[in-house]
Amino acid sequence: MRLFAGIPIVDEARREIVALLAHLRERDWPVRWVREEGLHLTLKFFGEVAPERLEVIEEAVRFAAQGTGALALGLDQLGAFPSAARPRVLWLGIAGPSALELLQDRLERGGEAIGFPPEGTPFQPHVTLGRVREGHRLPPRALDDFEEQYARVPFVGTRLVLYESVLTTGGPRYDSRLTLELTA
Ligand code: 2AM
């Protein structure tokens, strides 16, 4: 099973992203856009794991989340991996307090302790919007036109979810395997 931990994006922030996705789709770019149901901010990607490991991963996620309260987050700027000049993964940045980085770091270290290597790249909190199809490209800075097309909605991250990514013909579907309330 393929697992990752993240914060679901709900309510008004989610609606804003759904509206932005509708604008982006109008461009007919060669992009696979994400499903609207599963919008989330990934904090730790565990990858493909044997189902027997689920329990120890749940334990590590619970431990990492201990002491974390609700997080004041906000929609931020658009961006792309590997860079805005060479967009392949299109995303919307998420602004957050240092407690968000702390939680991400605790998940990385908790994961490392049970055999999952850390990412090795700096944490760039984001919600993936779409991925450019193999063999295609977008013009450099393609997202610049869209910076004015959405509001920087503030929102509260109240849950940390361990998701299972289930591959379907319509793209991955994210099922929650564990939901923790951030209530410290
Ligand atoms: P992304 O948001 O940057 O695309 C499920 O695939 C989630 O895990 C996605 O949100 C994805 O990040 C994240 N993820 C992180 N590292 C990944 C990797 N190496 N392969 C696939 N997904 C990864």
Side-chain angles (χ1 to χ4, degrees):
M1 62 204 307
R2 200 178 163 87
L3 296 176
F4 65 98
I7 295 176
I9 313 285
V10 298
D11 302 333
E12 198 193 336
R14 180 179 175 282
R15 286 195 288 277
E16 195 67 24
I17 298 176
V18 169
L20 172 61
L21 278 166
H23 287 305
L24 287 163
R25 280 205 178 90
E26 287 169 9
R27 284 290 168 101
D28 281 328
W29 282 337
V31 169
R32 279 179 288 114
W33 300 105
V34 296
R35 287 184 188 221
E36 292 168 1
E37 306 87 81
L39 292 171
H40 65 273
L41 158 63
T42 298
L43 295 182
K44 173 69 188 164
F45 181 71
F46 293 99
E48 195 61 40
V49 305
E52 307 87 80
R53 301 218 66 200
L54 179 60
E55 231 169 284
V56 72
I57 292 168
E58 286 181 353
E59 189 65 18
V61 170
R62 271 202 193 90
F63 187 75
Q66 257 173 34
T68 306
L71 298 162
L73 307 173
L75 304 187
D76 203 5
Q77 294 195 343
L78 290 163
F81 294 137
S83 69
R86 279 195 303 135
R88 293 222 59 82
V89 176
L90 312 179
W91 47 260
L92 180 60
I94 299 293
S98 53
L100 175 67
E101 278 176 48
L102 188 63
L103 176 59
Q104 189 267 346
D105 189 60
R106 288 176 58 126
L107 284 162
E108 281 295 7
R109 285 186 288 119
E112 200 174 0
I114 56 170
F116 296 91
E119 281 303 315
T121 49
F123 177 45
Q124 164 58 68
H126 68 275
V127 175
T128 295
L129 302 176
R131 299 175 176 86
V132 178
R133 291 181 187 279
E134 207 51 51
H136 293 265
R137 325 174 147 198
L138 294 191
R141 312 212 60 92
L143 287 171
D144 284 5
D145 291 352
F146 290 86
E147 289 287 3
E148 308 302 319
Q149 304 261 4
Y150 64 98
R152 274 42 174 184
V153 174
F155 64 102
V156 183
T158 57
R159 293 197 178 108
L160 177 65
V161 173
L162 180 64
Y163 289 100
E164 178 178 2
S165 170
V166 181
L167 293 178
T168 74
T169 47
R173 189 188 73 222
Y174 304 135
D175 294 345
S176 59
R177 302 302 303 235
L178 172 71
T179 299
L180 302 172
E181 301 291 331
L182 301 173
T183 54

